[in-house]
Amino acid sequence: MFRTLAPARPLSPALVWSGLGLLVFGACLVGIFARPIGFLSAFWPANALLLGLLVRYPTLARPPAWIAAGLGYVAADLLTGSQWGMALWLNAANLLSATAGWLVLRRLDENTLRLRRTVSALYLLLAALTASAVGALAGCGAAPVYFNAPWSDLLSLWFSTELMNYMLIVPVVLAAPRADDPAPLVPAATAAQGTTWTSMFWRVAPVSSLLLAEGVRTVIGGPGMLAFVVPGLLWCALSYSTFTASLLSLVVCLWTMAGVATGVLNFTPAHAGDVFSLRVGVTLLALGPLAVACASAARAQALRRMDHAKRHDDLTGVLARRALLKQGDPLVARHQRGCAGAAVMMLDVDHFKQVNDQNGHSAGDQLLIGITKIMATALRPEDLLGRMGGQEFAAVLPGVSPAEAHAIAERLRIAVEQEPFATGQGSPQHATVSIGLVHSATLGGDADLEVLLLAADTALYRAKAEGRNRVVVG
């Protein structure tokens, strides 16, 4: 016996905002512990994390969210010994920075924000540049007051670290997978392989090339070491999802920056020019693979749309005739060998020509769309529904007995009869369907889908001849 799980209750707004404040607080602590003594952090993820969450979840972008984030910023600074004035000044600049980036991105469509368009990386770069400039301009005045340093050095260091953080962290947040994401397309190189081992090789080869590049540049070193990982990152961007590619870029770029800076640079005004150059270089190192990953995701989405259009009817959205035959034939053959068998229905909308003649083809199209939705609801999730042409539809019901198939057909017929359909022509339109039903058990174990469809079509003509709005078993 199966128990239906109750749907998860949505979280209360107060709990969501509290969670946001705690995330910002934790991210600030990470940045504070990465501070050189007496100056700004070498790595500050809080602003990029906040921007990514506000853009990914638009309903989160409310005044309480900014208040919760501000409290998280200030609490982290005060907890670690900062002065009130410095905490308020610098964290006001942090909030302004994230807000500026949000204003740039908030009106973009979902596909662009989920990094599924070729221009996604450029919009993200624009937002990162804007947010970094606003934050740096708002905070640089604190340099002579609290750090005894020129404001220009703080401007340079703030801008470069924010730009790097935004370009590394925000893509990971925006592209993180969720339940309704489409299944990833299998890369051509993987699909072309015939065995499990070769398929696995092509899946791990891109990330393996990154590890190899890390080993090579450790041995060789030199000024060109920053670019050693570029081929591997590009290969990962072409082979993996945008989220995986962005995550790998984050790890590799941070590791690269740490490797270059260790023992050489100190993230203070004394090395402002070198630090600026390093961070901008790391940002550009991440930008190339990100742009490739976005273009690859856009291509995959275009292929999915083409595949869907090829397999589905453009009006009703159900399977096209050829796709129904291609998917239904092996389904029938598989259940023919089982004990339950399979059933096939042919359905025809009664007096459909009159609807077109009296109300126009637009009303007829709306009626077909409405009837299709009712049929899809009445059928089981495992059943196949397709449009054979005009007002005729077919359904394949695997794993049903003759009695169960007849009950499903009757349920479908009654649901259509009782539903008023809006066609845009005044009062709702009522419609009925005639159904021809045949079960594989009645035709022997060798009957394929074509034979079952022919028998169901014969039964459909009998249903129409006997008065319509009925189910006739072949």
Side-chain angles (χ1 to χ4, degrees), residues 307-330:
D307 182 63
H308 185 276
K310 178 181 177 181
R311 294 187 297 110
H312 292 78
D313 176 59
D314 59 350
L315 175 64
T316 61
V318 300
L319 292 173
R321 184 181 187 278
R322 182 176 296 180
L324 179 69
L325 294 175
K326 183 177 181 180
Q327 296 184 33
D329 205 27

Side-chain angles (χ1 to χ4, degrees), residues 156-170:
S156 168
L157 291 172
W158 190 310
F159 176 82
S160 61
T161 189
E162 285 291 77
L163 180 64
M164 181 189 70
N165 292 334
Y166 282 127
M167 292 304 296
L168 291 179
I169 296 174
V170 174

Side-chain angles (χ1 to χ4, degrees), residues 118-176:
T118 54
V119 297
S120 295
L122 295 179
Y123 277 114
L124 187 57
L125 178 61
L126 175 62
L129 289 170
T130 303
S132 303
V134 169
L137 289 171
C140 66
V145 178
Y146 295 106
F147 302 113
N148 193 28
W151 67 267
S152 57
D153 287 346
L154 182 58
L155 178 70
S156 168
L157 291 172
W158 190 310
F159 176 82
S160 61
T161 189
E162 285 291 77
L163 180 64
M164 181 189 70
N165 292 334
Y166 282 127
M167 292 304 296
L168 291 179
I169 296 174
V170 174
V172 177
V173 178
L174 296 182

Side-chain angles (χ1 to χ4, degrees), residues 263-344:
V264 178
L265 294 179
N266 186 14
F267 293 88
T268 61
H271 296 88
D274 292 333
V275 172
F276 180 87
S277 176
L278 173 61
R279 284 171 170 164
V280 172
V282 170
T283 301
L284 297 178
L285 177 64
L287 179 60
L290 177 62
V292 171
C294 292
S296 181
R299 174 181 173 275
Q301 189 174 51
L303 290 175
R304 290 190 191 95
R305 286 197 297 264
M306 291 174 59
D307 182 63
H308 185 276
K310 178 181 177 181
R311 294 187 297 110
H312 292 78
D313 176 59
D314 59 350
L315 175 64
T316 61
V318 300
L319 292 173
R321 184 181 187 278
R322 182 176 296 180
L324 179 69
L325 294 175
K326 183 177 181 180
Q327 296 184 33
D329 205 27
L331 194 64
V332 168
R334 185 165 66 250
H335 285 82
Q336 281 274 49
R337 296 189 295 267
C339 58
V344 171

Side-chain angles (χ1 to χ4, degrees), residues 363-443:
D365 290 345
Q366 293 302 313
L367 180 60
L368 288 180
I369 293 172
I371 290 177
T372 303
K373 292 179 180 178
I374 294 297
M375 290 191 293
T377 303
L379 294 173
R380 305 169 304 166
E382 63 267 30
D383 298 333
L384 298 180
L385 176 63
R387 185 181 181 189
M388 306 303 284
Q391 71 271 19
E392 284 193 346
F393 297 84
V396 179
L397 286 61
V400 292
S401 66
E404 291 170 335
H406 191 271
I408 293 173
E410 279 292 346
R411 182 173 72 229
L412 189 155
R413 182 193 65 80
I414 294 172
V416 172
E417 182 182 26
Q418 294 178 346
E419 181 73 17
F421 298 99
T423 60
Q425 300 292 331
S427 59
Q429 175 80 40
H430 286 270
T432 60
V433 292
S434 300
I435 301 176
L437 175 67
V438 64
H439 195 276
S440 60
T442 63
L443 297 179

Side-chain angles (χ1 to χ4, degrees), residues 7-227:
R9 298 178 63 183
L11 297 176
S12 66
L15 187 60
V16 172
W17 293 323
S18 300
L20 177 64
L22 288 174
L23 281 175
V24 171
F25 175 79
C28 288
L29 290 181
V30 172
I32 290 170
F33 292 139
R35 279 178 180 170
I37 297 176
F39 206 66
L40 298 181
S41 174
F43 175 64
W44 186 260
N47 299 356
L49 179 63
L50 176 61
L51 173 59
L53 291 174
L54 291 176
V55 173
R56 181 181 173 108
Y57 304 104
T59 55
L60 189 63
R62 299 288 186 271
W66 270 274
I67 294 174
L71 292 175
Y73 279 120
V74 175
D77 262 344
L78 295 179
L79 184 66
T80 53
S82 294
Q83 303 175 30
W84 267 101
M86 185 175 72
L88 292 176
W89 189 339
L90 297 183
N91 289 309
N94 287 328
L95 277 176
L96 284 173
S97 176
T99 302
W102 174 75
L103 290 172
V104 173
L105 296 175
R106 69 189 184 101
R107 295 191 181 278
L108 299 179
D109 63 274
E110 183 179 4
N111 282 324
T112 302
L113 293 178
R114 295 299 305 279
L115 309 183
R116 296 173 183 164
R117 296 195 187 280
T118 54
V119 297
S120 295
L122 295 179
Y123 277 114
L124 187 57
L125 178 61
L126 175 62
L129 289 170
T130 303
S132 303
V134 169
L137 289 171
C140 66
V145 178
Y146 295 106
F147 302 113
N148 193 28
W151 67 267
S152 57
D153 287 346
L154 182 58
L155 178 70
S156 168
L157 291 172
W158 190 310
F159 176 82
S160 61
T161 189
E162 285 291 77
L163 180 64
M164 181 189 70
N165 292 334
Y166 282 127
M167 292 304 296
L168 291 179
I169 296 174
V170 174
V172 177
V173 178
L174 296 182
R178 61 188 189 190
D180 59 346
D181 284 342
L185 293 180
V186 178
T190 302
Q193 307 305 313
T195 68
T196 303
W197 288 107
T198 53
S199 175
M200 184 179 299
F201 167 78
W202 284 106
R203 293 299 295 168
V204 301
V207 71
S208 299
S209 70
L210 282 178
L211 298 176
L212 179 61
E214 285 293 339
V216 170
R217 75 177 180 180
T218 300
V219 173
I220 297 177
M225 63 181 296
L226 193 66

